[in-house]
Amino acid sequence: GNSVTQMEGPVTLSEEAFLTINCTYTATGYPSLFWYVQYPGEGLQLLLKATKADDKGSNKGFEATYRKETTSFHLEKGSVQVSDSAVYFCARGLNYGGSQGNLIFGKGTKLSVKP
Amino acid sequence: NAGVTQTPKFQVLKTGQSMTLQCAQDMNHEYMSWYRQDPGMGLRLIHYSVGAGITDQGEVPNGYNVSRSTTEDFPLRLLSAAPSQTSVYFCASSYSGGLVADTQYFGPGTRLTVL
């Protein structure tokens, strides 16, 4: 089937710690992959994306590499800040009713960074 | 650009009432969609549209109607509200007409409570 599985939170880290949020997907073919971030009280916004195997998406110090061998798209950041506290969603393109534009989301991982 | 706007921000309904959630975008995007966000469930696609005059069902369409008479607007109608429709609703848009999973831009959300 089509699904996205990401590690459950909440994740609590100290400032400057290393962050990894795991994400794996099931799919036929090679869908586009995304990480979205939702800050408290706001809508989702794109953090980074990758459209083909071995692509690395990066933004604001976050990185994720499209791994077709392991069907994974893990999110990493070398040194988190308090301002990174948010909910992070992994998503993939979904061929639903013939439209590739739709997205299927993971359940989200809440990150809290303590000073 | 205002981006994607949604009204109202909050709404309380009684079971059986109907209402329309408004969504508008000023980016001339062809693709628009509605998601609902429930705790522990991530975001699930309700309906989507790949252009004016074209709509289709997503993963959880029951109890909701949509129409797309203009490129800018994509209202979501609740026909007869039920407590199970208590959720946060997000509208999103993207440039592509649904042929590829493009970056989606999200509105700030509408928090709906059905009593």
Side-chain angles (χ1 to χ4, degrees):
Chain A
N2 298 309
S3 68
V4 174
T5 303
Q6 60 182 108
M7 63 185 288
E8 293 191 17
V11 174
T12 302
L13 296 174
S14 298
E15 207 165 22
E16 300 184 0
F18 184 86
L19 169 70
T20 299
I21 301 178
N22 291 338
C23 173
T24 58
Y25 65 92
T26 60
T28 54
Y30 303 105
S32 295
L33 300 174
F34 304 82
W35 277 101
Y36 281 84
V37 58
Q38 183 180 31
Y39 297 103
E42 298 183 9
L44 281 72
Q45 55 185 276
L46 179 71
L47 181 59
L48 53 85
K49 68 178 182 181
T51 57
K52 61 183 187 295
D54 300 325
D55 266 3
K56 176 184 284 188
S58 61
N59 186 27
K60 300 181 180 179
F62 291 89
E63 292 184 340
T65 301
Y66 192 141
R67 304 282 189 198
K68 65 177 182 178
E69 307 85 6
T70 54
T71 61
S72 65
F73 193 55
H74 304 324
L75 182 68
E76 296 182 336
K77 186 175 185 181
S79 176
V80 294
Q81 305 300 313
V82 173
S83 57
D84 293 327
S85 298
V87 180
Y88 293 82
F89 291 92
C90 185
R92 54 149 286 183
L94 173 66
N95 185 359
Y96 196 97
S99 171
Q100 293 281 356
N102 301 320
L103 296 177
I104 184 166
F105 286 87
K107 294 183 178 182
T109 302
K110 183 175 182 179
L111 170 67
S112 296
V113 181
K114 306 298 184 185
Chain B
N1 285 352
V4 180
T5 58
Q6 291 183 238
T7 56
K9 289 188 177 181
F10 302 94
Q11 182 71 50
V12 179
L13 293 178
K14 294 181 179 179
T15 297
Q17 288 185 314
S18 63
M19 78 159 295
T20 299
L21 279 63
Q22 301 292 343
C23 174
Q25 52 90 10
D26 61 357
M27 298 175 282
N28 202 32
H29 284 170
E30 289 294 324
Y31 177 90
M32 297 185 73
S33 57
W34 277 101
Y35 293 87
R36 59 177 290 173
Q37 183 180 26
D38 301 295
M41 299 289 290
L43 278 79
R44 292 179 292 169
L45 183 66
I46 303 172
H47 285 285
Y48 67 97
S49 168
V50 299
I54 306 169
T55 64
D56 208 343
Q57 297 180 351
E59 181 184 0
V60 289
N62 292 342
Y64 307 94
N65 271 357
V66 292
S67 59
R68 184 95 180 270
S69 57
T70 67
T71 299
E72 295 78 18
D73 300 300
F74 191 45
L76 178 72
R77 297 183 189 84
L78 278 69
L79 308 173
S80 177
S84 61
Q85 294 178 304
T86 294
S87 187
V88 181
Y89 292 85
F90 289 101
C91 179
S93 72
S94 66
Y95 177 77
S96 85
L99 297 178
V100 294
D102 203 352
T103 299
Q104 293 198 22
Y105 296 84
F106 284 80
T110 294
R111 184 174 294 274
L112 175 68
T113 302
V114 183
L115 303 176

